[in-house]
Amino acid sequence: MLKKSILITLFLSSIYSCDQQTESPNIIMMIGDGMGISQVSTSMYSSDNYTPLERSEFVGLSKTHSLDDLVTDSAASGTALSSGVKTYNGVLGLDKDYNPVKSILEISRDKGYMTAIIVTSTIVHATPAAYFSKSKSRYEYDNIADELSKSGINFFVGGGERYFNDRDDKRDIINEMVDYEFVNSMENYRNTDSKNIGFFTAYDDPIEKYLGREPSLDDLIEVTLQKLKSFNKPFFLLIEGSQIDWAEHDNDPEYLLSEMLEFDAAVESSYNFAEKNKNTLVVVTADHETGGASIVDGSLEESITKTEYSSDEHTAEMVPVYSFGYNSSYFTGVYDNTEIFDKLKAIIEK
Ligand SMILES: [Zn+2]
């Protein structure tokens, strides 16, 4: 009798520990910088009235203002999304008293997750930096590169090599990062099975999509997801369509559309992965709208739109939050952007 109960206990505990391992969900966080409803609508009407965001299971709206300004910048809103606190425009990873706050990427890393960042700006730009930097100024790029080198992020893909090996202090951080393999092509990125990889896609800012930026975001995501999956650990992946914002600062609809179409393909790749891998959550949102863009004319038959802008800066409108997969229902409703962090944390720590 005693033996039997010990066996049952062992059996139950082995099931329990198995469950624990498989239950930790993968998180794919996608940020379209400057991507409001108007930007999503532009690519939708230009794509036969279809956006992959229609596959989303839940949709919410998020309030984007910063601590000191109704109109946020990408550092303050990045910090709200990454770490759940409102801070001042220009500040990364610090709260209102300039105390460092832990980002959802760092929380997942410390729970044994694999972590990765893919962006179409430099890797030290405000949005990605909000996930690993604690800096009073988003423009201290050399310092932010140093912080990235110590962050333990497994894979990072983006521009900005110059902040690592062409620095004011003459250090070569790439040489210092002995645990990392650095690659310079998609083929090398795909073929290495290293646990820590840096892939610089440009010396400085990557070029605009319509001028031929490669590799494409969706290809990068597909390769990165296969890599992450191969380690049999949960992962946190941050993806930013960085230049949606730059196109809208330029009030340039052609530039905008090329960036949005690439971002749409990236959403499709992430949703496809989450459809096959049920313990994966995808959240797609923006840090703010840019340009005060509105579609004032166009044609559904011809898939064209005409946009007018009310600003060449950010605006304070709420932005959409789309979610798909594991616990996606958490993201329905109207809430502050800091709550996106709260919800992700609750899901990871469940
Ligand atoms: Zn901007």
Side-chain angles (χ1 to χ4, degrees), residues 33 74 245-246 249 288 290 314:
D33 200 304
S74 291
D245 175 63
W246 303 356
H249 280 291
H288 52 74
T290 304
H314 303 169

Side-chain angles (χ1 to χ4, degrees), residues 299-340:
S299 157
L300 207 56
E301 292 72 36
E302 294 169 61
S303 287
I304 51 170
T305 57
K306 180 172 184 287
T307 299
E308 283 182 3
Y309 294 94
S310 61
S311 166
D312 59 5
E313 287 296 333
H314 303 169
T315 68
E317 278 129 10
M318 290 195 284
V319 293
V321 185
Y322 305 93
S323 56
F324 184 94
Y326 184 91
N327 279 330
S328 57
S329 63
Y330 276 49
F331 295 87
T332 188
V334 178
Y335 43 83
D336 202 277
N337 56 1
T338 54
E339 288 181 41
I340 294 175

Side-chain angles (χ1 to χ4, degrees), residues 26 28 55 57 222 225-226 229 235 268-282 324-326:
N26 305 316
I28 304 176
R55 294 171 64 189
E57 293 165 333
E222 278 167 30
L225 287 171
Q226 289 318 311
K229 200 179 166 184
F235 63 78
E268 200 91 80
S269 298
S270 297
Y271 280 13
N272 288 344
F273 182 89
E275 201 162 55
K276 289 198 199 91
N277 299 271
K278 297 289 181 199
N279 60 335
T280 304
L281 166 67
V282 187
F324 184 94
Y326 184 91

Side-chain angles (χ1 to χ4, degrees), residues 121-123 158-162 199-207 214:
S121 59
T122 68
I123 195 72
E161 183 178 0
R162 60 177 289 201
F199 180 5
F200 289 114
T201 54
Y203 169 76
D204 203 339
D205 289 331
I207 60 170
E214 291 289 339

Side-chain angles (χ1 to χ4, degrees), residues 100-160:
V101 283
K102 209 165 167 182
S103 77
I104 191 72
L105 181 148
E106 293 164 321
I107 291 169
S108 10
R109 175 199 65 198
D110 293 348
K111 283 180 70 74
Y113 275 54
M114 296 285 289
T115 56
I117 297 182
I118 306 171
V119 296
T120 55
S121 59
T122 68
I123 195 72
V124 293
H125 211 254
T127 308
Y131 285 79
F132 60 81
S133 169
K134 320 293 165 198
S135 180
K136 279 189 177 173
S137 168
R138 58 179 283 186
Y139 298 109
E140 291 172 356
Y141 294 130
D142 280 9
N143 182 46
I144 293 169
D146 188 50
E147 289 177 285
L148 175 63
S149 75
K150 293 165 182 151
S151 66
I153 293 168
N154 297 102
F155 308 148
F156 61 89
V157 182

